[in-house]
């Protein structure tokens, strides 16, 4: 098995790469990295010496002083190069550069010069190096006002703030899951290449992106309706938006009951997309689930009985508890990369409706088991 270490393991792309590597336990082993290693030469050397593959993602994206960005990023690469030399490492090193290499700014220059440092190491040490030039990346859990304009828009809209467009330019984008697939493809190839151009998978004006996110805010965040999703980019954008909502306080969402002498009527979901609706009964004390999805949208609707629905973001320890009672029917939607379960905590049979936006495909279930 390949032992893979990721500098920047806790960052936006690093977290997604680390979690995805964890899905391939028969192929990869993760070597944990902590940012303090860059301040301790012996710990950095120990980390480097354990790795068959090192993905260098650690970098500074923004700072008021561009010179700080340049010095930090080039300094981190130089420390890694020094450690590779000291340990005589033969690891396959992959480096995340940026399409901003072509622009006249110190961030882009730091990426170009960092890539050149690693090319020199590779040429002089017979090392294996891959330099990836990456377009704008978006996806769940990026930091607003730091990682991408989409992260900023999602955060502001989901917190009832008003996003502002500074420049309505065309953005060439790649979803973080697609970028992770590209990185894993380079790792599996075991072939170095100092200049790999990672192609963007979508392109859109900033105003068009904001318009879509405003629809997600009004239809989904405010009304609980699943919006029309026309393509893979829109699915990725919608799943990104959902992860910026204040999940802890937003759910459970109570249904509107229409009651008359005959009984009651509850509308469970309004759909702009297709999918699959299921129904289950669960006897008292039983827990279902304990799995997560990386792309699917899913709703649990409790219509009879008492349930505890739990969510936990992969790689974190905080568990979100939602108590639902069929006397006040309600639902909880499952964000991607959150493992979840539902337990019957009542004394009668629990009745639950499930909706998911894809038909179940046993060859591609997008379902990964992990206890909450």
């Amino acid at each position: 098995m390949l032992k893979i270490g990721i500098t920047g393991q806790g960052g936006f792309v690093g977290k997604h790469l680390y979690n995805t590597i964890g899905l391939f336990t028969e192929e990869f082993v993760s070597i944990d990295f902590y940012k303090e290693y860059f301040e301790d030469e012996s710990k950095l050397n120990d980390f480097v010496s354990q790795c068959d593959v090192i993905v260098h993602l650690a970098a500074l994206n923004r700072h008021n002083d561009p010179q700080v960005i340049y010095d930090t990023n080039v300094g981190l690469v130089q420390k890694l190069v020094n450690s590779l030399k000291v340990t005589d490492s033969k690891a396959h090193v992959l480096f995340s550069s940026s399409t901003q290499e072509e622009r006249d700014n110190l961030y882009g220059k730091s990426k170009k010069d960092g890539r050149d440092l690693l090319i020199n190491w590779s040429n002089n040490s017979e090392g294996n190096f891959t330099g990836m030039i990456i377009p704008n990346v978006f996806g769940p859990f990026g930091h607003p006002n730091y990682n991408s304009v989409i992260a900023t828009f999602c955060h502001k809209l989901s917190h009832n703030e008003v996003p502002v467009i500074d420049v309505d330019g065309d953005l060439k984008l790649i979803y973080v899951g697609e970028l992770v697939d590209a990185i894993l493809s380079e790792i599996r190839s075991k072939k170095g290449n100092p200049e790999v151009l990672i192609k963007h998978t979508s392109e859109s004006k900033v105003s068009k992106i904001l318009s879509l996110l405003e629809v997600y805010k009004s239809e989904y965040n405010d009304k609980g309706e699943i919006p029309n999703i026309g393509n893979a980019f829109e699915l990725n954008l919608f799943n990104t938006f959902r992860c910026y909502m204040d999940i802890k306080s937003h759910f459970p969402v109570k249904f509107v009951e229409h009651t008359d002498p005959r009984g009651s009527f509850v509308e469970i979901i309004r759909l702009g997309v297709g999918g699959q609706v299921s129904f289950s009964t669960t006897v008292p004390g039983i827990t279902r689930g304990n799995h997560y999805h990386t792309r699917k949208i899913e709703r649990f609707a409790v219509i009879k009985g008492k349930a505890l629905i739990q969510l936990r973001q992969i790689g974190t320890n905080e568990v979100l508890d939602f108590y639902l009672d069929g006397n006040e029917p309600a639902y909880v939607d499952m964000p991607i990369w959150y493992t979840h379960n539902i337990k019957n905590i009542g004394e009668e049979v629990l009745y639950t409706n499930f909706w998911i936006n894809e038909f179940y495909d046993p060859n591609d279930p997008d379902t990964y088991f992990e206890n909450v």
Side-chain angles (χ1 to χ4, degrees):
M1 288 195 290
L2 282 178
K3 298 176 182 175
I4 302 177
I6 308 165
T7 71
Q9 172 183 310
F12 169 44
V13 176
K15 179 189 291 186
H16 280 275
L17 178 59
Y18 183 86
N19 288 338
T20 303
I21 285 172
L23 304 179
F24 302 96
T25 54
E26 295 182 354
E27 187 177 7
F28 303 128
V29 172
S30 290
I31 305 299
D32 283 337
F33 177 87
Y34 300 95
K35 61 182 180 181
E36 293 79 13
Y37 289 0
F38 275 120
E39 305 305 321
D40 187 320
E41 189 175 323
S42 64
K43 290 183 178 178
L44 183 59
N45 292 343
D46 183 55
F47 165 77
V48 168
S49 64
Q50 294 182 67
C51 295
D52 300 315
V53 176
I54 297 172
V55 185
H56 181 55
L57 300 177
L60 188 63
N61 288 355
R62 293 180 185 272
H63 192 280
N64 291 333
D65 184 350
Q67 189 63 48
V68 172
I69 295 176
Y70 179 84
D71 293 344
T72 300
N73 291 347
V74 174
L76 292 176
V77 174
Q78 188 61 64
K79 288 181 179 179
L80 178 60
V81 168
N82 293 343
S83 184
L84 290 164
K85 291 178 178 176
V86 167
T87 59
D88 193 27
S89 171
K90 302 302 179 189
H92 181 188
V93 178
L94 297 94
F95 176 64
S96 66
S97 187
S98 165
T99 50
Q100 292 199 40
E101 275 193 11
E102 300 174 353
R103 298 182 184 176
D104 184 22
N105 63 57
L106 284 174
Y107 173 75
K109 190 171 187 302
S110 76
K111 288 296 186 180
K112 178 66 171 63
D113 290 354
R115 190 161 64 90
D116 286 342
L117 283 171
L118 285 162
I119 290 172
N120 289 337
W121 163 77
S122 174
N123 290 338
N124 295 325
S125 65
E126 299 182 350
N128 193 11
F129 172 66
T130 299
M132 297 173 295
I133 300 175
I134 299 169
N136 295 300
V137 187
F138 76 99
F141 316 125
H143 293 294
N145 302 310
Y146 188 78
N147 285 123
S148 78
V149 66
I150 291 177
T152 304
F153 285 173
C154 288
H155 175 81
K156 285 183 177 292
L157 285 169
S158 62
H159 290 75
N160 297 314
E161 299 176 28
V162 180
V164 176
I165 296 175
D166 294 327
V167 179
D168 190 15
D170 283 311
L171 289 181
K172 295 180 179 179
L173 296 158
I174 186 168
Y175 182 61
V176 66
E178 296 166 331
L179 173 60
V180 165
D181 288 343
I183 294 172
L184 292 180
S185 177
E186 293 296 327
I187 290 173
R188 288 176 171 128
S189 78
K190 301 182 180 179
K191 296 178 181 177
N193 184 341
E195 184 174 311
V196 176
L197 295 173
I198 304 295
K199 293 182 180 178
H200 63 278
T201 54
S202 57
E203 185 170 356
S204 178
K205 292 189 77 68
V206 175
S207 56
K208 175 69 182 304
I209 293 169
L210 179 56
S211 177
L212 283 169
L213 292 171
E214 287 172 337
V215 169
Y216 302 159
K217 156 71 173 168
S218 63
E219 292 189 3
Y220 179 72
N221 190 94
D222 297 348
K223 300 176 187 174
E225 299 175 9
I226 305 299
N228 180 50
I229 295 173
N231 51 46
F233 169 69
E234 292 181 9
L235 174 63
N236 292 332
L237 190 66
F238 179 57
N239 273 330
T240 299
F241 173 79
R242 294 199 300 135
C243 289
Y244 285 86
M245 292 171 54
D246 186 355
I247 295 165
K248 192 173 184 177
S249 63
H250 185 80
F251 294 108
V253 177
K254 293 182 180 178
F255 289 112
V256 176
E257 283 189 86
H258 305 277
T259 305
D260 63 24
R262 298 171 298 173
S264 64
F265 173 82
V266 172
E267 185 178 280
I268 291 176
I269 193 167
R270 291 189 177 194
L271 297 172
V273 295
Q276 174 179 304
V277 177
S278 310
F279 168 82
S280 81
T281 61
T282 306
V283 299
I286 294 299
T287 299
R288 294 176 179 272
N290 282 320
H291 62 243
Y292 61 97
H293 311 293
T294 65
R295 65 170 188 269
K296 287 181 174 178
I297 311 165
E298 189 175 29
R299 173 168 295 183
F300 287 9
V302 170
I303 58 174
K304 189 173 187 298
K306 294 181 179 180
L308 168 62
I309 294 176
Q310 295 181 302
L311 278 67
R312 179 177 59 79
Q313 186 187 139
I314 297 301
T316 69
N317 296 319
E318 183 183 17
V319 175
L320 306 181
D321 291 337
F322 301 108
Y323 293 89
L324 288 78
D325 188 332
N327 290 324
E328 293 182 295
Y331 69 87
V332 175
D333 289 350
M334 308 304 147
I336 58 173
W337 290 104
Y338 275 72
T339 187
H340 48 268
N341 64 32
I342 180 169
K343 181 178 183 180
N344 185 348
I345 58 172
E347 296 179 352
E348 60 180 346
V349 173
L350 173 67
Y351 290 75
T352 311
N353 271 340
F354 303 92
W355 166 80
I356 198 159
N357 71 313
E358 296 179 18
F359 294 165
Y360 181 74
D361 179 356
N363 296 317
D364 182 21
D366 187 39
T367 299
Y368 304 95
F369 288 91
E370 181 168 320
N371 287 334
V372 174

